[in-house]
Amino acid sequence: MAAMRTQIVSGRVTPRFAGIPTFCRYPMLEAVDHEHGPVDWAIYGVPFDGGVTYRPGARFGPRAVRDASQYVKPYHLEHGVNVCEVLSLADAGDAPVRPYSIHETLDAVYNFARNLAHPETKLFAVGGDHSIAYANIKATWERRGKPKGGLALLHFDSHLDTVDEVWGEKWGHASVFRRAIDDGLIDSKRMLSVGLKGPLNTADDVTFARQRGITILTAEQWHRSSREGSGEVEAFVANLKGADTYLSFDIDVVDPAYAPGTGTPSIGGLTSAEVLRLLRSLKGANIVGADVVEVLPDRDVSQITALLAAHVIFEVLCLDAVRRT
Amino acid sequence: MAAMRTQIVSGRVTPRFAGIPTFCRYPMLEAVDHEHGPVDWAIYGVPFDGGVTYRPGARFGPRAVRDASQYVKPYHLEHGVNVCEVLSLADAGDAPVRPYSIHETLDAVYNFARNLAHPETKLFAVGGDHSIAYANIKATWERRGKPKGGLALLHFDSHLDTVDEVWGEKWGHASVFRRAIDDGLIDSKRMLSVGLKGPLNTADDVTFARQRGITILTAEQWHRSSREGSGEVEAFVANLKGADTYLSFDIDVVDPAYAPGTGTPSIGGLTSAEVLRLLRSLKGANIVGADVVEVLPDRDVSQITALLAAHVIFEVLCLDAVRRT
Amino acid sequence: MAAMRTQIVSGRVTPRFAGIPTFCRYPMLEAVDHEHGPVDWAIYGVPFDGGVTYRPGARFGPRAVRDASQYVKPYHLEHGVNVCEVLSLADAGDAPVRPYSIHETLDAVYNFARNLAHPETKLFAVGGDHSIAYANIKATWERRGKPKGGLALLHFDSHLDTVDEVWGEKWGHASVFRRAIDDGLIDSKRMLSVGLKGPLNTADDVTFARQRGITILTAEQWHRSSREGSGEVEAFVANLKGADTYLSFDIDVVDPAYAPGTGTPSIGGLTSAEVLRLLRSLKGANIVGADVVEVLPDRDVSQITALLAAHVIFEVLCLDAVRRT
Amino acid sequence: MAAMRTQIVSGRVTPRFAGIPTFCRYPMLEAVDHEHGPVDWAIYGVPFDGGVTYRPGARFGPRAVRDASQYVKPYHLEHGVNVCEVLSLADAGDAPVRPYSIHETLDAVYNFARNLAHPETKLFAVGGDHSIAYANIKATWERRGKPKGGLALLHFDSHLDTVDEVWGEKWGHASVFRRAIDDGLIDSKRMLSVGLKGPLNTADDVTFARQRGITILTAEQWHRSSREGSGEVEAFVANLKGADTYLSFDIDVVDPAYAPGTGTPSIGGLTSAEVLRLLRSLKGANIVGADVVEVLPDRDVSQITALLAAHVIFEVLCLDAVRRT
Amino acid sequence: MAAMRTQIVSGRVTPRFAGIPTFCRYPMLEAVDHEHGPVDWAIYGVPFDGGVTYRPGARFGPRAVRDASQYVKPYHLEHGVNVCEVLSLADAGDAPVRPYSIHETLDAVYNFARNLAHPETKLFAVGGDHSIAYANIKATWERRGKPKGGLALLHFDSHLDTVDEVWGEKWGHASVFRRAIDDGLIDSKRMLSVGLKGPLNTADDVTFARQRGITILTAEQWHRSSREGSGEVEAFVANLKGADTYLSFDIDVVDPAYAPGTGTPSIGGLTSAEVLRLLRSLKGANIVGADVVEVLPDRDVSQITALLAAHVIFEVLCLDAVRRT
Amino acid sequence: MAAMRTQIVSGRVTPRFAGIPTFCRYPMLEAVDHEHGPVDWAIYGVPFDGGVTYRPGARFGPRAVRDASQYVKPYHLEHGVNVCEVLSLADAGDAPVRPYSIHETLDAVYNFARNLAHPETKLFAVGGDHSIAYANIKATWERRGKPKGGLALLHFDSHLDTVDEVWGEKWGHASVFRRAIDDGLIDSKRMLSVGLKGPLNTADDVTFARQRGITILTAEQWHRSSREGSGEVEAFVANLKGADTYLSFDIDVVDPAYAPGTGTPSIGGLTSAEVLRLLRSLKGANIVGADVVEVLPDRDVSQITALLAAHVIFEVLCLDAVRRT
């Protein structure tokens, strides 16, 4: 079987600093031989940052993540799985965007995503700001047969992103899950949001989430949970019982020391070791689509933010690989 | 009551990247309407770094902290308090300084501070190097009626700052608490110093602190305490029984990964999540004055140090707000 | 007379690294005493970058220019004029913006600008991306009594900014002068554009400019002109015969070595000494409005771009001061 | 004819910050349709820095130049030529390298280059350190039919690179032209070296060049020539009478202010405007192969060095395009 | 006895920002008076990075570590020991290197090291890339009388460095312990490797280590061990029973947030506080030689990586000092 | 004779990135053999920045210049002189400083300098801020026999530095030449100041200079002079007729693009090529002492400012070497 998997160019043949970078050195989708059959995951960039409320620049995120991902190898030591032996993976390039219009961009990305590769291919979007997750979620939801009630959601973020509107605009990186829930793409009762931190505008900022039954684990709560080993995340995943689950990772859930390259950094976040532990604790979840967003290269330092984002891709793919083996 | 509080400009009206920055977008003291009555806290900058023993540049600290603080909103999720609903807050501008003379600067800052706003207004100084804390402590001590024995002190720092003199000079960032204790402004027996780390010149460097009964929790001890939940800090605060307490936060108590922008960085420090936990554990303390010092923007990275300092201001104000509610 | 001028705080009293920064330390418009009468120039920021075609981030430009301008003193050595003795100057804060909509932003800035201060006060806008110039030009044109045929224009830029539309959008930083000419605000026959450089998409990119009679001096032509002292710029200014003239300065006309902090840098530009020489050669022009745009702090280096922009403000103000004396 | 040229993706369709970057957005060689016939130039990277005598890191040069080149459009304003209408151009990816061995690397690059695309396709190598030029020169020389006496050479560099050996090694970035001359690939009597600057080890460092009749124009001499318009470069080119000429551009010929991202920077160099003027003054030369080398991204600032290198590629291609039209 | 120790210049006499920097301000070996007798440790730099598989630049590591080490004082607060009162210490300058040849370099470093100072002087090498550890290990092994079976090894690294060869080369930073074990310098059964993290090429990458009985504690395992206090490291050290032990510290074991300045960063690493705890837990080990490697200044941020490396030197020296007291 | 010159370690033996850096790799004064006789120049650092009026940090200047100077070789191509064959040169380490007191520092530096090496040895001070020049000038003046009327002065600076006092202090980087002239160390009538630029506080700022007959060539005047070849500088030097001349070079005379690493940058300055031309035009001057000051590494970019300063040292030494040959 492995012989039919898409292959990556070994760093022992082409050095990892050479060649035109694709995500984790996976082949371009257009270059994948027909004999491979459908790829399991298509990873694509969305170079758009028109949905931000503070600092723009995440449009350069996909390029930075591709660049930093060259050192991501395929074998996961802790899970004991080689992602390239289990999965066929491809870089599908960047989705079309319309820099001046968030509405046209979401349409364009959605249209790109829903037809991408084979219907069974799962979609991994690399932002760009968080607003673009809507398009990937919608395409994923459709490709999974429009499950009633919506997909379950594992959300890692410093913010809830359930604001109704900002400056009179209902689409943006602060309202992405408000829209996805309102449109039935995400089931708020099966949504876990980990990492909320930083001061809010008012106490009302969490009202919607509480009314809709979103499970919140603030950064402080997660740190306490982590110290005490109380296992809230594992329990949440177990309760999902293998339902179709989307994973959305906003890099600002990580502390600015580890991820300075983002637009609305907030102190008190997770370390990268904690991110790994958290993602690995999701073992068993049935991830059917994912994104990593809000990498802003102009604020990055020695590419550490982009490198972290590249590893998030890898860890999520491994969750799927582990589940299949 | 809240209607009488000073208001901040909402980021939903004026974007947080717009306008001339004041600390956390609080109004300028001179612009506060008379109807507000006295503000509860006046926050002011002290752009002075003539007291350093190593790298200068903290004179640009206040400007950097104001800039980074624009994303600090008013509602504290863990304490459940909106600082702007409980407290009237204002930015009082920068104290006058005399860049060539630490003695004249301390006099000028002290004179500025002791007469600032209303006598009941509490003072928050933003450095500048740690030497300037003396002036704010002295003004606070006087405004609180010169409590006999001095104020209690919660001190967070990589260094004790109780050196007698450096290069023949008795005033500077390494001797600030030696002077404050000698002058009766601080009660060494009610002083807690958290975060001491890094090699010392000699074993004698802690002698004064031990002789005077300062409670020391080194960084390593704090980390152990934190893992084990032994609660030394909470116990110390409880023992203060609401006495007038000054809080002094040297940003170098944080690890250089989180606070590279400082003049004498020392590895092995707290993470920003630990800083938050530590500050939140002070709940119940009666903070009557405070400072955050040693932010050096030229060594900062993507403003993460200044952002952290801005959150320290917020967390300390929330301690006061929580106590009042 | 000088006693009635707005005053700046001397750096010999308040050090230049202290205090909350306004443009060149000029007073806030709201703080200017009534006795001063109308200020001659109101300088305001426009923190908007929704009109860019490449790299965003210029929304942070006004804040960066204010910060870097603290070392700009008032006496111009070569012109022999003290700008603060001749002119009353004020910082009018930032215009309101709508980050998600270029149309709403242009409306909001225009409405802010046309009513700003006294009708005789001239307007200086600090961007933000070049798209915002339209609003300042329109307000200036109206405040000058809507001169028929439009204002004369001195334009310094690496690009012509006369594209009709980009990605289907007619408003943006590449089309600002196309719109201003089409709407009769600018007289293309009295428009000089200096500094065009870098490859174009097609030969047609200069067609509009040539058809409308815009005088173009490419960067290469200007360098040659400068070496040979052929005086094209001085001749153009002389031909304006004192007509109302708007000056628009896109910082990317300068070489990236001198102005790395911009969104569409193009090599082969002017040095800062050449910029000074060029601006000083405009002596005699009747500048009635101006802007400096496209400062992008996240790409800047040691604030040299913002410092240069601050000097552009000063040099333009001096042109007016010289003319009045 | 133009219809048969290779096309670039318009920035008006795919934004210039989107997609996987190739040199100047030219198509990948492997993706060029057969109908195009042979491409005129194949541009390829050589990610190797094992030949340096000081600071390594240029192995990341090709990737950085591709990234920075996305804003290089096809129409040359001063030459009046659209490079994509005249030439078929392609990115041929990176040559294979052997990071631990300069000898094996030169062999591998040479083997890659001599068989690349069609025999009439010209080769443009993007370094990497200057040592790699040898391989591209040798392949070019062979593909041109091994012209007796060797190719003419236009060399732009802060150093002569004619050292015999360094640390006992005869191959490296300081000896590349010594080897090429010794091996008959370059005709020293038709070699022009522009830009020599910085102190030398001894007076003997120029002996070889003088003995072999290399024409040297030091940076100081070029500056003087430029001021005085004495036309040495144009005269040299004219004397070549259209002979096959190789062009080698070491980015350190430019001043560190314009090209900080290089391994052996030397002050007193050309500005980028002077580089453009110099390259444009080569009009008429018959360029049959070229390289741009020594871009070291880790020392670059806001990508200005890589951007300059990208423009060098464009300017050289335009020289060829102009000659053909 | 203390009077005979080598002395450091007090920062209270010569400020720590003054003077030509040696490691931790220890005297140059050549300047140590004869009366001191043999120094206990000679610390030397190895400015070589020809063994890397990814990003070069560690050749500038020794200079950066010397520079950052100026603030490292001699008294260890937690161990209660003054390293300069117990040990005679000296900076022995840099070992000779041959930048173009890893084989010649290892020979040159080994020859330099084996004859350095007095036979009883212990050797501390500061890299440079990890390949250079081989030379220091070999010299140490010989100077300790070639203990049969080899030295015990405490290895801290994100990688095992037991690859057999890379690109056909058997010497390099990925194979250093493979060679040392094969040559009998290191006893694999008494080798502890802490910190392995990041994806591997294949599951086989750990086969050699497992076959040879190397004790591995991955980063994730160490974090768990640390949380649970299971004491694996202390137990390993206790089992060594005072055997001659070499300590090799690759800075990339630390997280990139704390050590961005390295060539193959890998997320999920230790914090600097954890590094201190880990090193202090080695108390009782008989360290007879050591290195700290892979500091790459061009990727560092505010020197935090180099500062951390300087503290690693100090902590290791203190382990020896503690053992002697 | 040359055999008696102090020697530098060849970069062909010890690579230029290896070893502990001294200025231009000249030997430490203390290590110079007696057989060399007195060295011709002693170069020493003055790590002091207590005299600044704006941004501090130049105390780290000497260390940065030493570091960047490692690539400065000895043979001057344009002058045709090998500085190490003509002169004996040594690095004398850093002068003692008292960071908290400018008065004590100037005394300490002066005392250090006046007794340094042999009475005939000339002194080159590397700052530190410009205030320290006073001490070197005074020591030079005394060592030259206290020439009546004072030394001639060639001064390159963006500022005149003839302010009487700042913030009530008469000693500082803005008043250094006021003091030196008042004290008879410098002859104002034989003082040339090149490079004045940037706005001044008032027209009076040049009054003192004009009253005392200082020859001023503003940056704009120098640029014009340079274009026109009017030779003012050469004429001034010729008029000195070989009188003892001190040269003081403030790095801020250079444009911030070339020298971002300085405390009071001012746009419109010289390029580095112009600096070289200017310094070379001093040929014939009898330089008996010199300094280069105001390098502030924390604002530098890829060390280009420090590299430029290192070349200023070299160029000045060559002026002396040329005069002797």
Side-chain angles (χ1 to χ4, degrees), chain A residues 101 121 230 233:
Chain A
S101 168
T121 299
S230 44
V233 172

Side-chain angles (χ1 to χ4, degrees), chain A residues 175-190:
Chain A
S175 54
V176 58
F177 297 115
R178 182 71 162 255
R179 294 290 88 76
I181 290 167
D182 283 352
D183 291 356
L185 311 179
I186 293 295
D187 177 358
S188 58
K189 300 223 164 14
R190 291 188 300 168

Side-chain angles (χ1 to χ4, degrees), chain F residues 20-191:
Chain F
I20 294 174
T22 58
F23 288 122
C24 305
R25 300 167 71 96
Y26 304 143
M28 290 302 296
L29 182 60
E30 67 202 32
V32 173
D33 287 344
H34 290 285
E35 62 196 284
H36 284 294
V39 296
D40 294 305
W41 285 84
I43 308 163
Y44 68 99
V46 188
F48 180 78
D49 55 20
V52 304
T53 55
Y54 196 56
R55 189 180 298 271
R59 64 180 69 184
F60 288 92
R63 196 170 282 171
V65 175
R66 281 191 181 95
D67 201 52
S69 72
Q70 299 305 295
Y71 216 79
V72 178
K73 299 165 182 169
Y75 180 73
H76 194 292
L77 185 62
E78 308 296 339
H79 285 318
V81 68
N82 186 318
V83 75
C84 288
E85 288 176 0
V86 179
L87 300 172
S88 276
L89 302 164
D91 182 329
D94 281 359
V97 295
R98 302 279 287 178
Y100 287 147
S101 168
I102 190 167
H103 306 101
E104 294 177 23
T105 294
L106 291 180
D107 282 351
V109 176
Y110 160 67
N111 284 322
F112 170 87
R114 72 172 169 173
N115 299 314
L116 195 57
H118 185 275
E120 287 181 20
T121 299
K122 293 177 179 176
L123 307 177
F124 204 123
V126 179
D129 75 58
H130 217 152
S131 67
I132 63 97
Y134 182 88
N136 197 49
I137 290 171
K138 187 170 175 187
T140 296
W141 176 73
E142 285 192 8
R143 292 162 69 113
R144 300 302 295 187
K146 304 188 180 182
K148 219 160 104 182
L151 301 166
L153 178 66
L154 298 169
H155 175 220
F156 307 96
D157 201 334
S158 181
H159 312 87
L160 281 176
D161 292 355
T162 55
V163 172
D164 191 24
E165 61 174 61
V166 177
W167 302 316
E169 171 61 63
K170 283 185 166 276
W171 298 89
H173 76 166
S175 54
V176 58
F177 297 114
R178 182 71 161 257
R179 293 292 88 76
I181 290 168
D182 283 353
D183 291 355
L185 312 179
I186 294 296
D187 177 359
S188 59
K189 301 224 161 16
R190 291 188 298 169
M191 170 173 169

Side-chain angles (χ1 to χ4, degrees), chain E residues 178-198:
Chain E
R178 182 71 162 257
R179 292 292 88 77
I181 290 167
D182 284 352
D183 291 355
L185 312 178
I186 294 296
D187 177 358
S188 59
K189 301 226 162 12
R190 291 189 298 170
M191 171 174 171
L192 170 68
S193 187
V194 179
L196 182 63
K197 60 186 156 77

Side-chain angles (χ1 to χ4, degrees), chain B residues 50-307:
Chain B
V52 304
T53 55
Y54 196 56
R55 188 180 301 271
R59 66 179 68 183
F60 288 92
R63 195 169 285 172
V65 175
R66 280 192 182 94
D67 201 52
S69 73
Q70 298 305 294
Y71 216 78
V72 178
K73 298 165 183 170
Y75 180 73
H76 194 292
L77 184 64
E78 307 297 337
H79 285 318
V81 68
N82 186 317
V83 76
C84 288
E85 290 175 1
V86 179
L87 300 173
S88 276
L89 302 165
D91 182 329
D94 281 358
V97 296
R98 301 279 287 178
Y100 287 149
S101 168
I102 189 168
H103 306 100
E104 294 176 23
T105 294
L106 291 180
D107 283 350
V109 175
Y110 160 68
N111 284 322
F112 169 87
R114 71 172 171 173
N115 298 316
L116 195 57
H118 185 275
E120 286 181 21
T121 299
K122 294 177 179 176
L123 306 177
F124 203 124
V126 179
D129 76 58
H130 217 153
S131 68
I132 62 96
Y134 181 88
N136 197 50
I137 290 171
K138 187 170 176 187
T140 296
W141 175 74
E142 286 192 8
R143 292 162 68 113
R144 301 301 294 185
K146 304 190 181 180
K148 218 160 105 182
L151 302 165
L153 178 65
L154 297 169
H155 175 221
F156 307 96
D157 200 333
S158 181
H159 313 87
L160 282 176
D161 293 355
T162 55
V163 171
D164 191 25
E165 61 174 60
V166 177
W167 302 315
E169 170 60 65
K170 282 183 168 278
W171 297 89
H173 75 165
S175 54
V176 58
F177 297 115
R178 182 72 162 256
R179 292 293 88 76
I181 290 167
D182 283 353
D183 291 356
L185 312 178
I186 294 295
D187 177 357
S188 58
K189 299 223 164 14
R190 292 188 297 169
M191 169 174 172
L192 170 68
S193 187
V194 178
L196 182 62
K197 60 187 156 81
L200 303 178
N201 281 299
T202 75
D204 291 342
D205 285 9
V206 289
T207 303
F208 174 85
R210 298 222 156 108
Q211 286 174 340
R212 297 301 180 93
I214 297 171
T215 304
I216 297 175
L217 214 53
T218 68
E220 178 154 328
Q221 289 170 330
W222 186 82
H223 277 113
R224 194 179 311 127
S225 162
S226 173
R227 282 195 304 280
E228 299 172 357
S230 44
E232 283 90 342
V233 172
E234 290 84 345
F236 187 93
V237 168
N239 282 338
L240 290 180
K241 296 185 174 63
D244 280 9
T245 301
Y246 187 89
L247 186 153
S248 186
F249 194 97
D250 185 324
I251 205 76
D252 70 19
V253 73
V254 194
D255 196 272
Y258 294 78
T262 196
T264 51
S266 174
I267 66 151
L270 277 61
T271 68
S272 69
E274 289 167 344
V275 166
L276 294 183
R277 186 141 51 95
L278 176 53
L279 289 174
R280 289 164 187 178
S281 74
L282 304 177
K283 201 161 140 179
N286 177 22
I287 311 293
V288 299
D291 62 63
V292 59
V293 294
E294 300 285 357
V295 172
L296 197 166
D298 274 357
R299 301 286 278 190
D300 205 357
V301 161
S302 299
Q303 299 180 290
I304 64 173
T305 310
L307 182 68

